[in-house]
Amino acid sequence: MSIPRTFITSVVGSWPRPTWLIEAFEKFEKGQLDQQTFTQYLDDAVKLAIKDQEEAGLDVITDGEQRRTSFVAFVGQKIRGFKIVRVEELHPDAKEIMKKYKAPLTLWRPVIAGYIEESVLAVDEVQYARRITQRPLKVTLPSPYLIMWEAWHAKISSPYYPKPEYAAEAYAKVLRGEISRLIDAGVAFIQLDEPMLGDLIEAEPDKPDRYKQVASELYGQKYRGLRDEIQLAVDLANEVVKGYGSSVRLGMHLDRWPTEESPVVGYERLAPRIFDIKVRQYVVEYKHPRMGNPEEFAKILPSDKEIGLGSIDVRDPKRVETVEEVVSHVERIVKYVDPTRIWLNPDCGFAPGMYRAFPRHVAIEKLKVMVKAAKTLREKYWWA
């Protein structure tokens, strides 16, 4: 299936999980559901997520991350050397710590508890999705910098990797192998998820952002300073994607889920070093009002980069945007970025964690509005 030249529509990754799938996850964890039956539940949920996105009219879709407990925790289930634990196992006051910093991490957490070994991470998901859709597929993968902060534990991981950077490098090697398999499987878009880099918008040279403050208390990792953190994230990402840029569209998703106290600023604060990452597209959250003005990011976006502009609010399930609202939002950057380099997507996934509730029917309506807005924009900028 071909995709348009301009204002391509997609999602960031996750899709709302049906209640019956969450119940199946819980029964399976308790040993109350056999593997064959559980797999059928997962397969059915993927079919439903893909059907929803096709009905909405998206150009590039995902499998909705239905097989994953969260956008990051599933690594603990898929890669040898990791394990998955409840957040209370890391710290008995974990939920209170998260509330203190207003950093709602997912309840299931990955932890590095051995040597990280070559493993399949997502190609099995793609192989199933390919059987039920002809739409171009996007696959999301947690980046090494994210995994380093989310999974290296000072006590549990240090016998295997004395420094968190060593663990990140080992994971990066596994990710390179998976990207190669995904390319062979015909994936259209591979996206590295990097909220831990996006969160650095709120950090200071000598003070971490709220998410790293939480991670420090739960996992025991030390903040390196703003400049060094950004550089480490860039270097690790480039190690993963090195040499693959001509074979597949590569992107990086940045988000931070602002609070009412968060500074009003966008990802331009991480420039220019963020543009050293060898990806084609930055999938960025700019619909939330505290993310500032997307024009500031668009003004400095290099001419060889694309922007996946956050154009739909994934936090408000009570309101569906209008077509005119989305068109106006996107037009803020058209004067700086050619329409062939502008994609439309929601700010983030609708359900980055298994227990995040978002009404499916609202999510579908929001995507339909985004698709209509893209059509309007193509008609208006037909010359691009």
Side-chain angles (χ1 to χ4, degrees), residues 218-230:
L218 296 185
Y219 289 86
Q221 191 169 163
K222 304 291 185 183
Y223 181 64
R224 299 163 184 81
L226 182 58
R227 183 181 181 85
D228 289 344
E229 292 287 346
I230 295 175

Side-chain angles (χ1 to χ4, degrees), residues 5-23:
R5 291 185 64 255
T6 61
F7 304 110
I8 299 169
T9 59
S10 187
V11 286
V12 171
S14 61
W15 190 248
R17 294 168 183 81
T19 302
W20 47 261
L21 178 62
I22 296 173
E23 293 171 351

Side-chain angles (χ1 to χ4, degrees), residues 3-119:
I3 59 177
R5 291 185 64 255
T6 61
F7 304 110
I8 299 169
T9 59
S10 187
V11 286
V12 171
S14 61
W15 190 248
R17 294 168 183 81
T19 302
W20 47 261
L21 178 62
I22 296 173
E23 293 171 351
F25 264 114
E26 293 172 343
K27 289 181 180 179
F28 183 70
E29 288 296 323
K30 295 175 182 177
Q32 298 172 355
L33 200 65
D34 64 87
Q35 181 66 63
Q36 184 176 0
T37 304
F38 181 51
T39 298
Q40 186 63 59
Y41 275 112
L42 293 170
D43 290 350
D44 289 346
V46 170
K47 291 176 184 176
L48 188 60
I50 288 176
K51 178 180 177 293
D52 286 346
Q53 293 171 73
E54 290 180 335
E55 178 187 334
L58 291 180
D59 299 310
V60 178
I61 67 173
T62 72
D63 76 342
E65 299 181 5
Q66 299 294 289
R67 302 182 190 278
R68 306 179 181 186
T69 48
S70 83
F71 74 101
V72 63
F74 82 103
V75 171
Q77 300 164 298
K78 300 295 288 284
I79 297 183
R80 292 184 293 274
F82 287 79
K83 69 176 182 179
I84 186 170
V85 300
R86 288 281 297 188
V87 69
E88 297 88 349
E89 296 179 49
L90 299 176
H91 196 294
D93 300 322
K95 290 183 179 179
E96 286 69 29
I97 292 171
M98 289 188 283
K99 288 179 182 177
K100 179 174 68 173
Y101 293 109
K102 295 186 177 181
L105 299 175
T106 54
L107 299 180
W108 287 99
R109 312 300 300 158
V111 176
I112 298 165
Y115 292 109
I116 299 171
E117 301 179 30
E118 181 73 16
S119 305

